[in-house]
Amino acid sequence: MAVVSSRGQKLGNRVAIAAIIVITIIFLTPIYWIGSTAFKPRNLATTAPPTILFEPEVSPFVKLFTKRVQLKPNEQVDRENAPWWEQIIFDGGERISRTGKGEVQLSGYPDRFMNSLIVAITSTLLAVSMGTITAYGFSRFKVKGEADLLFFILSTRMLPPIVVAIPMFLMYRAAGLTDSHIGLIILYTAFNVSFAVWLMKGFIDEIPREYEEAALVDGYTRMQAFFRIVLPEAATGIAATAVFCFITAWNEYAFALILTNRRAQTAPPFIPSQIGSGLPDWTVIAAGTFLFLLPVAIFTFLLRNHLLRGMSFGAIRK
Amino acid sequence: MLNNMITSLDPQSRAAARGWSDITIRNVFVIPTVLFLIVFNVFPLIYSLGFSFTDFRASTKDPANFVGLKNYMDLLSDPFIWRNFTITAHYVIVSVAGQVVVGFGLALLLNRSFPLKGLVTTLLLLPMMLSMAVVGLFWKLLYDPNFGIINFALGLGKFEWLANPDFALYAVALTDIWMWSPFVMLLSLAGLSAVPKHLYEAASIDRASRLYTFFRITLPLVAPILLIAIIFRTMEAFKTFDLAFVMSGQPTTEVVSIRLYKMAFQEWQTGKSCALAYIVLIMVLCITNVYVKYLNKAKER
């Protein structure tokens, strides 16, 4: 194609770039819509035609973090001595409340967000460390039935989550692990380990064995060589794997829906459950969605080059 | 005998004698993970295989009675279950075909150098990084017949996407296409960049038409990686739960995962739902095998 560089070619290129611009805008519209609705006053969220230009507000976020509760007859709330975050809630809450009755408290969202963070971060750390050392084991030593074992590890990802969810639910109920952080952490770790092993094996295979051999000759033990030579070399691979594991655990829905109901519930089952019946307040849903999507969007941007490599890697290796 | 399969770094075996031996390290590094995966992946499956032959209900304290193959017979002769499978197949075909067309088309467009190429590629990847359940919920607003941006942008008036039983499945599939076309695009881009440039140069010297070049050079060389993308997406679409469950409560969008969820956690027919899970599992394995066969054929060419 490079040989025939005619006027037609140039025109073709321009048409292609115009098409790319149009498609990118179409693809990003839903994401822009989440972001913009999160800052809209409620009456502008559901208008026909849709409102594109408006004065941004933070009231959806205040509403997201607060709920109004009815106080018992003799109950008093000490506003003066409340910590600063509760002061903000009280101030914001007054603006959004119409009736004078009741008191403003934190809503369920911050808890669910924290649960998501705890579960996703812990399971990512576990999956990545287990995945890295196991990948090193497979990469550097002879393991009996290596190909079969690796295929077995991958095959655990092929099942529909609901298929495993039924026995998991029964096992967890018997072990008292339902609605616990630990239960979800173990489960997400199990799902992510298989992926981490495959991805990390690809990265570690690429590090020349000569590096460790030289270290061994210099008097390092094998463990020292692993920690001081191999791990630093594999750092970018570890980072990419960690982001993938985090995204999977952060976004998981089916198990969280089945295995948790309140205490350990994460945001993915919580946000849809808030929609209820009647007219939903889409600005609050958008605010919750926006905050929830933000970490992943930031990760995607910061690590885009590693992500591209890691993703095509995992797929091609298979 | 065991010794000569311990390590592939024999020249340094003296060094390995310091600290842990290689065989210890290998065992410590590999065995716990494999055991962990067996406990949390294989054991539940064996556990549920046992339940699939019983009339166990997790909502009661009644002990499980062995009923043999009854659950399987009942399920396979139940027209409603087959309807769930038909809906799933429909969904898989529509959404995977859509993703391949959009994703591969995008890859063909992006496979040239232009300003901000990296940024555009990253932006296009964003949908697949997000939560299907949470994004699916928000798409209900985008689809809203009265004030949704989609109807407004397409000038469709008050077209019902999700409330229309005939159309809801396509509406869910469209969201799936939006989320996962970038995945097909990414793999296709990797495949396209691996096509040797000299083939195109030879073709242009021979004055081969664009169509000819595409069907005789580009497509055959990208086919294996495109097939990998199709395998991945088919498996995922077959497993689909989040999107359809959150977006629509229509009977016409009840894919098999949703049926399974309802049977297990709303009707509490635990034994029967385990049997259904096994039927699904066998289907997934069959589909994968067929694909792998095609994949090997495509690679041979």
Side-chain angles (χ1 to χ4, degrees):
Chain A
M1 268 189 212
V3 180
V4 261
S5 171
S6 60
R7 217 184 295 161
Q9 180 97 39
K10 258 188 184 165
L11 184 73
N13 242 331
R14 272 194 203 147
V15 171
I17 288 172
I20 291 169
I21 294 170
V22 171
I23 293 171
T24 309
I25 290 171
I26 292 173
F27 261 77
L28 293 182
T29 303
I31 295 172
Y32 167 77
W33 211 249
I34 293 173
S36 68
T37 308
F39 292 95
K40 273 181 188 169
R42 181 171 187 179
N43 59 340
L44 292 185
T46 48
T47 52
T51 314
I52 294 169
L53 290 175
F54 60 96
E55 210 175 303
E57 278 190 10
V58 289
S59 64
F61 291 92
V62 175
K63 278 188 262 179
L64 176 69
F65 282 111
T66 53
K67 66 171 183 209
R68 296 188 59 79
V69 286
Q70 198 68 47
L71 289 181
K72 288 180 198 114
N74 296 325
E75 207 175 326
Q76 284 278 323
V77 173
D78 183 8
R79 287 201 174 199
E80 299 301 312
N81 299 317
W84 61 269
W85 63 86
E86 284 184 15
Q87 299 280 3
I88 294 177
I89 292 165
F90 290 141
D91 294 348
E94 262 166 348
R95 250 183 286 132
I96 58 163
S97 67
R98 280 198 212 105
T99 54
K101 284 180 185 166
E103 194 52 74
V104 178
Q105 281 186 355
L106 269 189
S107 71
Y109 187 79
D111 267 351
R112 303 323 197 280
F113 197 87
M114 274 308 285
N115 286 342
S116 276
L117 277 178
I118 294 168
V119 169
I121 290 175
T122 319
S123 69
T124 300
L125 289 176
L126 284 171
V128 172
S129 30
M130 284 170 75
T132 304
I133 60 172
T134 307
Y136 180 77
F138 276 117
S139 176
R140 293 299 196 256
F141 307 113
K142 276 185 189 149
V143 178
K144 248 193 234 174
E146 181 177 323
D148 291 337
L149 267 180
L150 281 172
F151 181 74
F152 156 71
I153 289 174
L154 188 74
S155 70
T156 58
R157 297 277 293 203
M158 293 201 279
L159 301 174
I162 296 289
V163 169
V164 194
I166 301 166
M168 280 322 271
F169 172 77
L170 297 173
M171 282 166 66
Y172 269 32
R173 202 174 61 167
L177 281 173
T178 44
D179 205 17
S180 71
H181 292 101
I182 294 179
L184 275 191
I185 289 169
I186 295 175
L187 201 65
Y188 292 174
T189 308
F191 273 119
N192 275 333
V193 157
S194 55
F195 186 64
V197 170
W198 272 77
L199 213 54
M200 283 313 299
K201 187 168 182 297
F203 283 110
I204 291 176
D205 279 346
E206 280 196 347
I207 302 168
R209 282 156 179 257
E210 287 75 24
Y211 289 9
E212 293 147 82
E213 289 175 12
L216 292 181
V217 171
D218 283 351
Y220 279 45
T221 66
R222 180 45 78 74
M223 286 298 263
Q224 284 169 330
F226 171 69
F227 280 110
R228 294 193 199 159
I229 311 288
V230 179
L231 278 192
E233 286 288 321
T236 54
I238 292 172
T241 309
V243 172
F244 277 115
C245 292
F246 179 83
I247 290 174
T248 314
W250 184 251
N251 289 337
E252 204 284 328
Y253 174 74
F255 282 104
L257 177 74
I258 290 160
L259 296 176
T260 67
N261 49 49
R262 213 196 61 76
R263 211 158 47 85
Q265 193 182 47
T266 54
F270 176 74
I271 298 175
S273 74
Q274 289 308 95
I275 192 161
S277 52
L279 273 181
D281 188 345
W282 282 103
T283 61
V284 178
I285 294 165
T289 306
F290 176 78
L291 278 189
F292 181 74
L293 302 182
L294 207 55
V296 169
I298 292 171
F299 270 141
T300 308
F301 263 93
L302 291 181
L303 288 149
R304 54 186 176 275
N305 297 325
H306 300 303
L307 288 181
L308 293 179
R309 182 160 167 258
M311 214 156 354
S312 24
F313 235 87
I316 293 165
R317 295 256 157 183
K318 191 193 172 187
Chain B
M1 187 198 112
L2 205 65
N3 259 333
N4 41 14
M5 47 186 310
I6 296 173
T7 168
S8 48
L9 286 174
D10 271 325
Q12 274 75 39
S13 53
R14 260 183 305 127
R18 295 187 296 266
W20 284 4
S21 74
D22 280 3
I23 193 164
T24 314
I25 292 176
R26 181 200 70 186
N27 290 343
V28 170
F29 278 17
V30 172
I31 291 173
T33 304
V34 173
L35 282 181
F36 180 69
L37 284 170
I38 289 174
V39 170
F40 282 95
N41 286 301
V42 180
F43 184 67
L45 284 180
I46 297 169
Y47 194 65
S48 68
L49 182 64
F51 275 122
S52 75
F53 299 113
T54 69
D55 62 356
F56 181 61
R57 299 175 80 95
S59 56
T60 63
K61 296 242 186 243
D62 298 345
N65 299 312
F66 183 78
V67 294
L69 287 173
K70 183 175 176 298
N71 287 334
Y72 290 91
M73 305 297 241
D74 285 355
L75 286 167
L76 291 174
S77 58
D78 183 348
F80 290 106
I81 296 292
W82 288 107
R83 221 177 68 106
N84 295 134
F85 277 113
T86 315
I87 292 170
T88 312
H90 206 130
Y91 178 79
V92 170
I93 292 167
V94 172
S95 85
V96 175
Q99 283 156 27
V100 169
V101 170
V102 176
F104 190 58
L106 263 174
L108 287 175
L109 283 175
L110 286 174
N111 190 35
R112 66 192 74 224
S113 57
F114 58 90
L116 298 179
K117 181 178 173 178
L119 179 73
V120 168
T121 317
T122 311
L123 285 175
L124 286 174
L125 288 185
L126 213 47
M128 62 180 274
M129 301 290 174
L130 306 178
S131 160
M132 290 182 98
V134 175
V135 167
L137 171 76
F138 197 80
W139 268 72
K140 282 174 116 170
L141 175 66
L142 303 183
Y143 275 136
D144 194 284
N146 294 314
F147 32 75
I149 180 91
I150 294 177
N151 278 0
F152 175 72
L154 299 178
L156 286 175
K158 299 217 171 201
F159 184 76
E160 295 271 4
W161 291 79
L162 292 164
N164 181 340
D166 296 328
F167 215 80
L169 191 71
Y170 299 103
V172 178
L174 192 66
T175 311
D176 200 48
I177 293 170
W178 174 76
M179 283 198 88
W180 292 101
S181 294
F183 177 77
V184 180
M185 172 199 89
L186 192 66
L187 290 195
S188 308
L189 268 179
L192 285 173
S193 65
V195 178
K197 293 280 170 290
H198 66 84
L199 288 180
Y200 290 126
E201 282 158 22
S204 74
I205 288 167
D206 290 345
R207 299 191 172 276
S209 77
R210 285 202 149 192
L211 233 57
Y212 185 90
T213 320
F214 177 76
F215 281 108
R216 287 304 165 94
I217 298 174
T218 312
L219 205 54
L221 283 167
V222 182
I225 200 163
L226 201 57
L227 254 173
I228 290 176
I230 294 173
I231 294 176
F232 265 76
R233 286 316 310 155
T234 308
M235 308 276 294
E236 293 290 323
F238 194 83
K239 298 197 273 186
T240 216
F241 177 73
D242 311 15
L243 268 190
F245 189 69
V246 169
M247 289 180 77
S248 163
Q250 298 274 359
T252 50
T253 59
E254 194 178 87
V255 290
V256 72
S257 286
I258 294 181
R259 174 83 229 131
L260 200 46
Y261 171 81
K262 286 184 175 166
M263 198 185 272
F265 298 103
Q266 288 176 3
E267 298 159 16
W268 292 106
Q269 298 181 304
T270 314
K272 202 174 172 187
S273 60
C274 286
L276 179 58
Y278 260 83
I279 294 172
V280 172
L281 178 61
I282 291 164
M283 284 188 167
V284 172
L285 290 178
C286 291
I287 297 171
T288 324
N289 270 326
V290 172
Y291 267 136
V292 170
K293 243 180 217 162
Y294 271 104
L295 181 65
N296 289 338
K297 261 189 202 162
K299 272 185 178 162
E300 274 164 27
R301 253 187 274 149

